[in-house]
Amino acid sequence: MGRSYAVKGRKKKRKLHEAAASDAGPLAVEAEELPLPEEAGGEDKGKDEEAAAAGEDEEEHAAVEGLPVVPRPVDAKRRPGAIFVLERACLEVGKVGKTMQILNSDDHANYLRKQNRNPADYRPDIIHQALLAIFDSPLTKAGRLQAVYVRTEKGVLFEIKPHVRMPRTFKRFCGLMSQLLQKLSITAVGKREKLLNVVKNPVTRYLPVGAPKIGLSFSAEKSVNLFDYVAKSSDDEPLVFVVGAMAHGKIDKEYTDDYIQICKYPLSAACCLNRICSALEQKWNIG
């Protein structure tokens, strides 16, 4: 007995539906995998957002991991070294949007004007350049740097260890300072050693007893040749140099033993510190 035409028709229709579904399946998958067309400038916008996110991740990673250190130089003879006190550094944390940032005249000018502040007074780049001048010098690499103290315009005092590797870029430096002023200390990578640490005022409590404290200012009445001045100093005790790290103004000379001018022209903090390091390197035959 032959098959009825109705059964054959139903089987044929079912096969046609299955074949159509199998053909449409890969096409649907391929359609889902195709990227949507981007708007004009969408690629650049995406790159900017990725760069910003990468920057935030990098800063967050640096904050979690801590600071790298350089191999600690050892002075076998344990001779006295140099101590630097950087006064009136403009490091102030402000809440910009949803984040806490170190305020500066380039990025936060409108924010500062709205609060009736002068953007020209917010120059954290000065202290960044000053610290790089110290830590990049042969004096530091030879192990003759004993300590660095920084006091901000707000009166916050913190210590920096001599074997710290300071951030090279200004953005990372500001991220580091923001973290320091909020958490009060920065540790080394993989260690508990505090490389930057907020300490109590005054700074004189941390300076060696009997060490001459020398303040430098363009407004000082006593003008000296720095190389001759340093050459005449004693080799048996460390030298403390007090330098301003602000755009305008004078340092507090109340705790200094001598107040000198080393140039007839105003010098930046970094230039002044380069001269001091060069004079000490010549006196101690470094480099």
Side-chain angles (χ1 to χ4, degrees), residues 97-165:
K98 296 182 179 180
T99 60
M100 302 297 290
Q101 302 177 19
I102 293 291
L103 301 176
N104 68 80
S105 58
D106 290 332
D107 300 328
H108 310 113
N110 294 332
Y111 173 86
L112 293 168
R113 290 192 189 98
K114 289 178 181 178
Q115 298 193 1
N116 297 322
R117 304 185 191 181
N118 184 8
D121 294 334
Y122 290 80
R123 295 285 308 280
D125 57 296
I126 296 176
I127 184 64
H128 182 220
Q129 295 169 6
L131 291 174
L132 289 178
I134 295 173
F135 285 95
D136 286 349
S137 66
L139 175 77
T140 300
K141 295 176 181 179
R144 299 300 292 271
L145 175 66
Q146 286 190 208
V148 176
Y149 296 94
V150 179
R151 181 154 55 186
T152 69
E153 283 278 15
K154 297 292 185 180
V156 180
L157 177 67
F158 60 90
E159 178 188 7
I160 306 177
K161 299 294 184 181
H163 51 284
V164 171
R165 180 178 294 169

Side-chain angles (χ1 to χ4, degrees), residues 7 37-38 90 113 139 149 155 169 173 175 179 191 255 268-269 274:
V7 174
E38 296 182 352
C90 187
R113 290 192 189 98
L139 175 77
Y149 296 94
T169 63
F173 173 77
Q179 181 187 356
K191 300 179 182 179
Y255 65 91
S268 66
N274 280 327

